[in-house]
Amino acid sequence: MKQTWDINDPKLPQEPKHFDAFQEWPDGYVRLIYSSEEKNAQRHLSGWAMRNTNNHNCQILKKSCLGVVVCARSCALPGGARLQLRPAICDKARQKQQKKACPNCNSALELIPCRGHSGYPVTNFWRLDGKAIFFQAKGVHDHPRPESKSEAEARRSAIKKQMSSYHHSQKKRPLNSEAGRYHDSSSYTNNLQNFPCMDGQERVGIITDSNFSIPAQSYPSLQNTDLYKVPYDSASSQEDQLSSYPKCPNPRIYMPRPCSYEFGVPTFISSSPYPTFYKDLTSPATDADPLSLNGSHYSTVTTHDKSFDNPGRHYGLKPAWGKTGSGDQGDYGQMQTSANHAYYSGDYPCRYSASPAPIAPPLQTVITTTTKVSYQAYKPPALKYSDNLCDVKNLQSYTHVAENVSGAIYSGMKIQEDFGMVKSALLYQHDSIPTKPKPAESMESYRYGLLLGNSYAEHEGQTLWFETAEY
DNA sequence: ATATGCGGGAGAG
DNA sequence: CTCTCCCGCATAT
């Protein structure tokens, strides 16, 4: 049943016979009808970082995509992945975020704005009507997926935990703390004890941590998973497990650091929590379409492996419309296609220099607006989506996961390619511009540098300047 | 501290 | 008028 309705229609289909499963990563010109009971829909959730946009229509909630925050140098993370942080939704928080340095290479972070809808950010519209929540997306994301919301939250909470535990430990040993803080491994150790996320092995790893680029051995780090629970359902648990295996190893890799960073908190380091996220898969699961599944991986890990390899191609291929049915590309499908391709083919690193191709498509106006519709305003009750999101029925994804995972591991180079995208500075959003962070800009960055530096140093060779970091 | 929503208002077309 | 974007405000986590 092709969706024949438009979010702006005065009358939307009544009593839809079938509700769509929640899609965390809708992309393309998609129209979906969720049950008003669907918690994620009630919360207008999306894996993409969407911010509220005032469309002066209280019946229809409009949100536009903020894009994704990446390392300006598009450095490769140890796993080969690229950093893909979720832009903070709050303007203020986003600005801060952009001032931080890449936790991996310490260079600046940059916000890749979304221009997937004729040069404008992809927009999502939500409208409650009776027992249904109508969702319509316009545009095709022309950038990699950021962390999913749940991932980002988990990361943050993990950091908090780390922080707090750190502090606790500090209290215990007030004297040493200062000195040991950054450099003293022992302190790390102590802290670690408190971190729920770490287990003995991990700690060891840290301490020893000579190599953290090496994938961890086999441990089931599922435990971690528990800690940070992802709201997403249980259904996916299986997936998680599966997926987690592959990933876990990596996570640990990162874990150490995070834990060690007591404050730092930079972004992804914290990724320690990642393991958690593997469940992100779940989300994909949520999506009905295969692509999403793939996507999940990426998104899943910002840091991890696989996330990368997909992004690039993923996007290129993006089936916005092709998507399982949900999309109705109908109307606007054409233009985006070309745009995307051009875009992604480019190289990430070079984004700036890159040609404006992406922009190419003139801003044609697509009907984006929401007309006023007589409708009752609705305010979905705030619900938690701690329950399961959806029915995850795609166990099949396991396979995918597995594949990807493994692939991810060595995908470093490849990723780069895939991942590459070109962006012209032209479209850069103001927000990002002004604040363009300089590497040395924040102390935090230093910190990162320090810690990371040791391990990652090889990559960028810029390790040195961290030394001074004081914090 | 952030995420979310709301709504005024500016500015471009 | 239509739309996007910016801004502040308020509320909920």
Side-chain angles (χ1 to χ4, degrees):
Chain A
M1 293 258 187
K2 272 15 248 190
Q3 311 282 0
T4 54
W5 53 273
D6 183 89
I7 200 77
N8 296 310
D9 293 342
K11 299 274 182 181
L12 291 172
Q14 296 298 302
E15 319 241 331
K17 17 206 132 194
H18 149 272
F19 290 127
D20 294 293
F22 182 75
Q23 286 192 28
E24 188 180 20
W25 301 96
D27 200 356
Y29 295 77
V30 179
R31 283 175 213 162
L32 300 169
I33 301 178
Y34 298 125
S35 162
S36 57
E37 306 286 299
E38 222 292 335
K39 307 217 159 67
N40 296 301
Q42 294 174 332
R43 308 186 74 188
H44 311 136
L45 245 52
S46 176
W48 303 101
M50 307 295 292
R51 73 165 162 192
N52 182 301
T53 297
N54 183 15
N55 63 343
H56 300 282
N57 180 336
C58 32
Q59 272 71 60
I60 300 173
L61 177 64
K62 178 181 178 180
K63 304 182 97 174
S64 55
C65 183
L66 288 167
V68 60
V69 171
V70 302
C71 169
R73 296 172 125 203
S74 65
C75 64
L77 297 176
R82 293 267 196 269
L83 188 68
Q84 297 166 218
L85 299 175
R86 182 185 188 78
I89 304 302
C90 174
D91 293 8
K92 187 179 170 188
R94 195 168 346 106
Q95 293 187 349
K96 279 189 189 173
Q97 181 183 41
Q98 291 178 67
K99 289 178 181 175
K100 292 184 178 178
C102 170
N104 184 31
C105 72
N106 206 38
S107 59
L109 288 181
E110 78 186 334
L111 175 67
I112 296 178
C114 176
R115 304 199 309 288
H117 186 215
S118 300
Y120 288 109
V122 166
T123 49
N124 282 179
F125 298 88
W126 297 88
R127 179 175 165 190
L128 172 66
D129 185 65
K131 294 176 181 171
I133 292 176
F134 293 82
F135 170 85
Q136 184 165 1
K138 297 179 180 179
V140 178
H141 295 278
D142 60 343
H143 53 85
R145 290 182 182 184
E147 300 165 291
S148 64
K149 186 189 173 195
S150 57
E151 285 176 321
E153 289 177 342
R155 183 163 42 83
R156 266 186 302 190
S157 65
I159 294 171
K160 283 187 180 178
K161 286 184 182 178
Q162 293 178 17
M163 298 274 282
S164 65
S165 54
Y166 173 75
H167 287 121
H168 284 149
S169 59
Q170 292 258 307
K171 290 179 181 177
K172 293 179 182 178
R173 12 192 255 34
L175 297 179
N176 303 336
S177 54
E178 278 305 324
R181 226 182 232 174
Y182 306 97
H183 309 281
D184 179 11
S185 57
S186 63
S187 62
Y188 294 150
T189 314
N190 290 330
N191 295 329
L192 294 178
Q193 299 180 350
N194 298 320
F195 296 117
C197 55
M198 314 277 284
D199 59 9
Q201 295 190 31
E202 289 179 316
R203 266 180 250 146
V204 175
I206 296 173
I207 300 172
T208 350
D209 124 275
S210 24
N211 45 351
F212 80 43
S213 47
I214 297 172
Q217 341 10 343
S218 48
Y219 29 144
S221 34
L222 297 181
Q223 31 189 356
N224 296 333
T225 315
D226 303 333
L227 291 182
Y228 310 87
K229 70 218 334 35
V230 179
Y232 293 174
D233 81 297
S234 37
S236 55
S237 58
Q238 293 187 356
E239 283 194 8
D240 296 8
Q241 300 206 357
L242 293 179
S243 55
S244 57
Y245 280 118
K247 299 180 170 189
C248 290
N250 292 330
R252 335 178 134 284
I253 294 174
Y254 303 91
M255 299 289 292
R257 266 86 205 356
C259 293
S260 33
Y261 293 121
E262 330 0 61
F263 333 110
V265 179
T267 34
F268 98 108
I269 303 200
S270 21
S271 27
S272 31
Y274 275 173
T276 320
F277 276 122
Y278 298 144
K279 27 214 33 233
D280 190 19
L281 305 184
T282 326
S283 35
T286 320
D287 292 310
D289 60 13
L291 290 178
S292 313
L293 292 179
N294 294 333
S296 48
H297 321 97
Y298 331 155
S299 53
T300 318
V301 189
T302 322
T303 11
H304 279 291
D305 8 348
K306 50 230 60 260
S307 15
F308 357 74
D309 62 48
N310 301 314
R313 55 184 55 143
H314 190 52
Y315 290 90
L317 311 178
K318 196 136 241 156
W321 33 88
K323 252 173 168 191
T324 41
S326 40
D328 49 349
Q329 49 233 62
D331 344 1
Y332 332 93
Q334 324 65 292
M335 30 177 124
Q336 36 205 69
T337 327
S338 52
N340 291 332
H341 284 131
Y343 216 129
Y344 287 95
S345 51
D347 210 7
Y348 219 8
C350 318
R351 283 171 23 243
Y352 294 164
S353 49
S355 59
I359 309 174
L363 308 184
Q364 315 201 353
T365 314
V366 179
I367 313 162
T368 337
T369 344
T370 47
T371 20
K372 308 263 179 180
V373 177
S374 48
Y375 180 72
Q376 308 282 334
Y378 74 108
K379 309 207 163 181
L383 305 177
K384 284 188 151 224
Y385 60 124
S386 44
D387 356 18
N388 7 328
L389 298 189
C390 3
D391 19 306
V392 177
K393 359 165 158 200
N394 351 344
L395 300 184
Q396 357 153 1
S397 48
Y398 295 148
T399 11
H400 283 297
V401 175
E403 294 182 0
N404 292 318
V405 172
S406 55
I409 297 171
Y410 33 83
S411 55
M413 297 307 286
K414 143 199 266 187
I415 292 170
Q416 298 185 0
E417 299 176 337
D418 295 348
F419 220 19
M421 48 191 309
V422 182
K423 252 194 173 175
S424 68
L426 299 180
L427 295 183
Y428 246 50
Q429 301 217 344
H430 309 313
D431 339 0
S432 55
I433 297 172
T435 40
K436 203 143 194 179
K438 310 234 161 155
E441 202 156 307
S442 64
M443 291 322 274
E444 299 184 41
S445 27
Y446 289 130
R447 271 191 281 176
Y448 304 110
L450 260 179
L451 299 175
L452 296 177
N454 305 331
S455 350
Y456 298 99
E458 305 87 2
H459 293 275
E460 307 291 50
Q462 24 183 327
T463 328
L464 308 184
W465 41 299
F466 303 136
E467 303 294 3
T468 15
E470 212 277 88
Y471 164 97

